[in-house]
């Protein structure tokens, strides 16, 4: 099993019936959490007990994308840094896709997210790096295995 390399971690957004790349990730933090309800009696002098309740997911993504969709005119569903700003607060259907360095194994998460915040760093070489935080909506579909 190989490590995941940055060129193989991609954020895709659904446009019509097809997923298109928004950017290549330098890092992805995908956090799945479960809330718990305390079931013990407060002040009973025993250890507390809990049961699981609601689950949520959220995360951050750092990556690179084009400044303008004009940078790749042949692509339908053109996404760029400008498009990302337009999408803050919108419900998006996205796919996080990763492969290991041996191209033998993959991990894929299909889900709906809201972009909560975006920051960017632009440079003279027209490569824009960005960081975004997101909050999930509904249950993500997580698949993995051999390619």
């Amino acid at each position: 099993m190989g490590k995941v390399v940055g060129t193989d971690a991609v954020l895709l957004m659904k446009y019509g019936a097809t997923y298109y790349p928004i950017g290549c990730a330098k890092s992805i933090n995908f956090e799945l959490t479960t809330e718990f309800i305390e079931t013990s009696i407060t002040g009973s002098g025993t250890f507390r007990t809990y049961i699981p309740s609601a689950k949520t997911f959220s995360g951050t993504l750092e990556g690179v994308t084009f400044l303008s969709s004009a940078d790749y005119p042949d692509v339908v569903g053109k996404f760029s840094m400008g498009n990302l700003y337009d999408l803050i607060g919108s419900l998006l259907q996205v796919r996080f896709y990763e492969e290991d360095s041996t191209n033998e194994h993959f991990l894929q998460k299909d889900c709906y997210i809201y972009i909560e915040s975006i920051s960017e760093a632009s440079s003279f070489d027209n490569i824009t790096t960005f960081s975004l935080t997101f909050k999930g909506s509904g249950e993500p579909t997580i698949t993995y295995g051999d390619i």
Side-chain angles (χ1 to χ4, degrees):
M1 179 162 91
K3 62 183 179 181
V4 174
V5 292
T7 57
D8 297 323
V10 180
L11 172 65
L12 304 121
M13 185 163 44
K14 195 165 188 179
Y15 182 80
T18 306
Y19 284 93
Y20 293 97
I22 294 176
C24 289
K26 293 176 12 182
S27 67
I28 298 173
N29 174 22
F30 190 90
E31 183 176 4
L32 185 63
T33 60
T34 301
E35 296 174 11
F36 290 88
I37 299 171
E38 184 179 354
T39 57
S40 55
I41 300 171
T42 304
S44 65
T46 62
F47 284 94
R48 294 180 180 191
T49 57
Y50 299 90
I51 58 170
S53 64
K55 294 180 182 180
T56 59
F57 70 95
S58 61
T60 59
L61 182 133
E62 294 182 21
V64 294
T65 189
F66 292 108
L67 282 175
S68 166
S69 54
D71 292 328
Y72 51 116
D74 317 356
V75 177
V76 178
K78 303 172 185 174
F79 296 106
S80 65
M81 194 65 228
N83 298 119
L84 286 175
Y85 282 120
D86 295 337
L87 297 172
I88 291 178
S90 299
L91 184 63
L92 309 173
Q93 187 174 0
V94 298
R95 172 175 288 162
F96 296 93
Y97 184 80
E98 304 165 69
E99 289 180 7
D100 66 9
S101 60
T102 63
N103 295 320
E104 295 176 5
H105 309 283
F106 77 98
L107 173 64
Q108 177 175 295
K109 302 169 202 86
D110 290 302
C111 52
Y112 288 91
I113 65 167
Y114 288 99
I115 296 176
E116 293 181 298
S117 67
I118 296 176
S119 62
E120 76 170 283
S122 298
S123 66
F124 67 92
D125 58 4
N126 200 31
I127 295 177
T128 301
T129 59
F130 68 95
S131 176
L132 65 83
T133 60
F134 63 87
K135 181 164 291 295
S137 182
E139 181 178 357
T141 302
I142 300 173
T143 53
Y144 53 90
D146 297 334
I147 295 176

